Amino acid sequence: MLLPLLLAVLWGGSGALYPKFQLQVPKSVSVQEGLCVVVSCSLITYPQRGWTHATPAHGYWFRNPANTDTDPPVATNKPGQKVQKDTQGRFQLLGNLSQSCSLLIRDVQMEDAASYFFRLERGSYVQYNFKENMFYLEVTDLTQKPEVYIPETLEPGHQVTLICVFNWIFEECPAPTFSWTGAAVSSHGAGPRTSYFSVLTLTPRPQDHGTELTCRVDFSRKGVSTEKTVRLSVAYAPRDLVVSTSRANVSALEPWGNSPHLAVQKGQFLRLLCAADSLPLATLSWALEDRVLSWSHPSGSRTLELVLPGVKAEDAGRYTCQAENRLGAQSRSLDLSVQYAPENLRVVVSQANRTVLENFGNDTSLVVLEGQSLRLLCVTHSNPPARLSWARGGQTLSPSQPSDPGVLELPQIQTEHEGEFTCQAQNPLGSQYLSLSLSVVCEKKLISNGVFVAIGLMTLLFLCLIPIAVKTLRKKRTQAETLRSRLSRRSTILDYINVIPKPGLLAQKRKANPSSPSRPPPPDAHPPESRHKQKEPYYVSYSCPGPKASTQDAEYENNQEELHYAVLNFPGHRPWETQGSKDAHSDYAEIQLH
């Protein structure tokens, strides 16, 4: 009798001493507080002694150490068997003991951390403790959170469905309780629900952007729970558009204020930065007036930079930064003013009745007729606008038009107006000067100079025609001899060259001059006093009015056509008396050019 009892004790203490008692269970199991875990356990074999298929099998899970005869188990399948109070309803033996001895633990608590072993009872012989197959239950803090599935961007006014899921390892674990909280959640759709996942339907509003939405999962009566909070991204049009500026390559950007104007100096470095808040990202662009200078890619940065390494005068204008996405657009503009000293100074001249304007640069000589009008306009490019003034001989002149000091008008040019006139353009950034020399000439003198040119041309023509005239006269020698017989002297060639003849004045001139050379003088005519001279020079008669004109000059001024003449004499040592027969073969020619 003692031997069977001893063997029973030994078998109950170690299955290794009797190889037919075998069980598989993990050595350790880790679970987070408040969660559920299933410890898998499989009965491989045990002796088929002292029981039949009708004999019920009872299993027990004990927390080690424990006296299986006196201490209650943490879980059992034996009806009416008392269990530990702290594990009642949470620890459960699963499955059919013929195959499984798995243990389900719900709402795991920190006090549950311990070693556990399984005991099998079936009939009078099989009563065995599998202490050599114990497992250790490790309990950690709850860190696992549910997963919330939500679109990346919500469209305002469009209904959307959100899902919250907690990943369970075993299906045997009971469903937790889900609840939603947040500003975008309505009260009727936020109540707690027991399920393995939770679905929330909502219609986001623009003001819901950036608000928080929380999915909470509760596992036990002690308030052990976990939650996941997400931030809603509701699409919106660009807003909070900001423009920053920097006037040095290395300096920090400065936010541009409310003033729509920005002034920089020519040649200065300038950087403009545009930034906007939008969802989805807006396309940014910089434009000067109606010309787009640069733009960003929609999936790029929230900022767009525009660099002007050396500002030019033509860079001035209105710069506009625009941010645009599918929901709308926003823009902001600034007027860039480029400041520089006066440059490209020039004078626009209008004289007399001429409508064509002439541009003159520095050190220009300007010739003007006396009595004509002259208008000088000083023009320059500068910013801020230059202050213009005229000076003569270092003395500032009073402006002809106070509203436009760049205009200098001389209604009637006089000789005393000759000299140097200087225009000055000045602003706070610098100044520039331009001088021109004014020369005044008389209109009659200019006409006289034209007469000299005409005389030269006529003289050249006369010299070319002499050979032709002589040859022609030789063919008519007979007529020439008859003519010579009537002459008491040899003829003198006298040419009158009349430029713009005037009959009245021509008659006056004839009274004071010899008879026309086209008619030879009578034989008894007395030779002029100048017959003893070897050669008479040509002359040009003209006069230039002074400040006060004579009566004859006044008549000239009132008459645009006036007689100007030149006399060319080609005298020789010829007596006025008729020569002898030795002069019968002399040739002469007389040419009159009118």
Side-chain angles (χ1 to χ4, degrees):
M1 294 294 294
L2 293 176
L3 182 59
L5 292 175
L6 180 61
L7 291 175
V9 173
L10 293 176
W11 292 343
S14 176
L17 297 178
Y18 191 78
K20 288 188 178 180
F21 286 89
Q22 296 182 6
L23 178 143
Q24 285 186 346
V25 66
K27 293 183 178 181
S28 65
V29 175
S30 179
V31 63
Q32 295 183 18
E33 183 184 14
L35 300 186
C36 170
V37 64
V38 175
V39 180
S40 62
C41 177
S42 299
L43 281 171
I44 297 178
T45 181
Y46 56 90
Q48 295 185 0
R49 293 176 59 184
W51 58 272
T52 65
H53 291 287
T55 304
H58 298 109
Y60 308 86
W61 279 102
F62 289 90
R63 180 188 290 123
N64 191 52
N67 186 342
T68 58
D69 293 333
T70 58
D71 295 332
V74 295
T76 181
N77 65 341
K78 184 178 181 179
Q81 176 68 45
K82 292 183 178 180
V83 298
Q84 297 282 345
K85 291 182 178 180
D86 60 340
T87 62
Q88 187 176 7
R90 297 189 302 113
F91 282 64
Q92 180 181 353
L93 183 60
L94 300 177
N96 188 346
L97 289 181
S98 61
Q99 297 178 352
S100 173
C101 54
S102 296
L103 176 63
L104 170 62
I105 305 176
R106 302 184 184 93
D107 188 16
V108 177
Q109 301 175 7
M110 286 295 183
E111 297 80 7
D112 296 335
S115 296
Y116 296 86
F117 65 89
F118 181 71
R119 174 179 174 79
L120 176 64
E121 293 180 355
R122 192 171 190 181
S124 59
Y125 180 77
V126 179
Q127 296 181 5
Y128 187 77
N129 297 329
F130 292 87
K131 288 188 176 182
E132 73 281 2
N133 298 111
M134 287 190 297
F135 76 90
Y136 180 78
L137 179 63
E138 180 184 11
V139 181
T140 62
D141 293 333
L142 180 60
T143 59
Q144 184 177 345
K145 296 181 180 299
E147 295 292 336
V148 177
Y149 297 92
I150 182 174
E152 182 179 358
T153 303
L154 306 179
E155 296 293 332
H158 294 239
Q159 192 178 71
V160 64
T161 299
L162 288 70
I163 302 177
C164 182
V165 177
F166 192 88
N167 295 321
W168 294 100
I169 301 177
F170 303 101
E171 295 180 359
E172 293 84 356
C173 293
T177 301
F178 288 84
S179 60
W180 296 87
T181 57
V185 180
S186 59
S187 58
H188 63 273
R193 298 176 183 178
T194 300
S195 176
Y196 292 100
F197 63 91
S198 179
V199 176
L200 176 66
T201 301
L202 59 85
T203 302
R205 303 161 299 177
Q207 60 266 30
D208 293 331
H209 175 75
T211 61
E212 292 183 346
L213 180 66
T214 301
C215 175
R216 180 185 177 92
V217 184
D218 292 300
F219 300 98
S220 69
R221 293 185 298 268
K222 291 186 176 181
V224 178
S225 63
T226 184
E227 62 185 23
K228 177 69 174 288
T229 300
V230 296
R231 190 175 296 275
L232 300 182
S233 295
V234 182
Y236 55 93
R239 63 189 184 188
D240 301 331
L241 186 62
V242 177
V243 174
S244 302
T245 62
S246 174
R247 305 190 190 188
N249 194 14
V250 295
S251 64
L253 289 169
E254 299 177 0
W256 177 54
N258 296 326
S259 174
H261 302 284
L262 178 64
V264 297
Q265 292 188 11
K266 184 178 179 181
Q268 192 175 18
F269 176 91
L270 180 63
R271 180 170 53 162
L272 305 177
L273 187 68
C274 177
D277 181 24
S278 63
L279 188 68
L281 285 178
T283 299
L284 301 174
S285 63
W286 274 109
L288 174 57
E289 304 301 342
D290 296 331
R291 180 167 56 95
V292 177
L293 303 177
S294 63
W295 62 89
S296 67
H297 193 274
S299 61
S301 173
R302 291 182 178 269
T303 62
L304 179 62
E305 186 180 64
L306 179 64
V307 176
L308 303 176
V311 177
K312 301 182 289 295
E314 54 266 28
D315 291 333
R318 171 158 293 188
Y319 287 79
T320 301
C321 175
Q322 177 168 293
E324 183 177 6
N325 65 7
R326 66 176 181 267
L327 297 177
Q330 189 180 26
S331 63
R332 194 173 184 187
S333 300
L334 64 87
D335 294 322
L336 179 64
S337 174
V338 181
Q339 298 182 344
Y340 54 96
E343 58 184 29
N344 299 330
L345 183 62
R346 67 188 187 279
V347 173
V348 180
V349 178
S350 175
Q351 49 183 322
N353 295 327
R354 300 177 60 181
T355 58
V356 178
L357 302 180
E358 301 181 36
N359 293 327
F360 290 88
N362 204 11
D363 298 329
T364 300
S365 295
L366 179 61
V367 179
V368 185
L369 292 177
E370 185 179 20
Q372 288 187 343
S373 63
L374 184 66
R375 187 176 188 268
L376 305 178
L377 174 61
C378 193
V379 180
T380 186
H381 297 287
S382 65
N383 189 26
R387 182 171 56 87
L388 301 174
S389 62
W390 281 98
R392 181 187 178 190
Q395 183 177 2
T396 302
L397 302 177
S398 298
S400 303
Q401 301 178 11
S403 61
D404 191 356
V407 176
L408 179 62
E409 292 182 343
L410 302 175
Q412 188 174 11
I413 296 295
Q414 302 296 331
T415 55
E416 57 266 23
H417 288 150
E418 286 190 343
E420 186 177 78
F421 289 80
T422 301
C423 174
Q424 179 185 7
Q426 185 175 12
N427 71 2
L429 300 179
S431 61
Q432 194 174 21
Y433 299 86
L434 186 149
S435 298
L436 59 85
S437 179
L438 182 63
S439 298
V440 181
V441 298
C442 175
E443 184 178 6
K444 290 185 177 181
K445 186 175 181 180
L446 290 179
I447 296 177
S448 302
N449 291 338
V451 171
F452 279 112
V453 176
I455 292 174
L457 294 176
M458 290 302 177
T459 303
L460 180 60
L461 178 61
F462 172 76
L463 294 176
C464 295
L465 291 178
I466 287 178
I468 302 175
V470 170
K471 184 177 180 180
T472 303
L473 292 177
R474 282 181 179 177
K475 294 181 180 180
K476 300 180 179 180
R477 179 174 298 180
T478 305
Q479 292 83 349
E481 291 176 354
T482 305
L483 182 61
R484 285 197 304 271
S485 64
R486 294 182 301 176
L487 296 175
S488 61
R489 63 175 181 82
R490 295 181 180 180
S491 299
T492 301
I493 300 173
L494 181 63
D495 294 71
Y496 289 89
I497 300 175
N498 300 320
V499 180
I500 316 178
K502 182 176 180 182
L505 294 178
L506 181 60
Q508 297 176 9
K509 298 292 183 178
R510 285 179 177 176
K511 292 179 181 180
N513 286 301
S515 301
S516 173
S518 61
R519 294 180 182 180
D524 56 349
H526 297 283
E529 295 179 359
S530 61
R531 63 188 179 93
H532 299 290
K533 297 181 180 180
Q534 297 294 324
K535 187 176 182 180
E536 291 185 355
Y538 68 86
Y539 66 92
V540 179
S541 176
Y542 70 91
S543 62
C544 183
K548 294 183 180 180
S550 63
T551 305
Q552 183 178 357
D553 293 335
E555 180 181 358
Y556 171 78
E557 293 294 332
N558 296 330
N559 251 301
Q560 296 299 323
E561 297 181 355
E562 180 183 356
L563 173 62
H564 297 272
Y565 64 91
V567 179
L568 300 181
N569 295 326
F570 296 85
H573 298 281
R574 297 177 182 176
W576 286 95
E577 293 81 5
T578 303
Q579 299 292 328
S581 60
K582 61 181 180 180
D583 296 329
H585 299 287
S586 299
D587 297 328
Y588 72 94
E590 179 177 300
I591 299 177
Q592 297 181 5
L593 302 177
H594 299 276

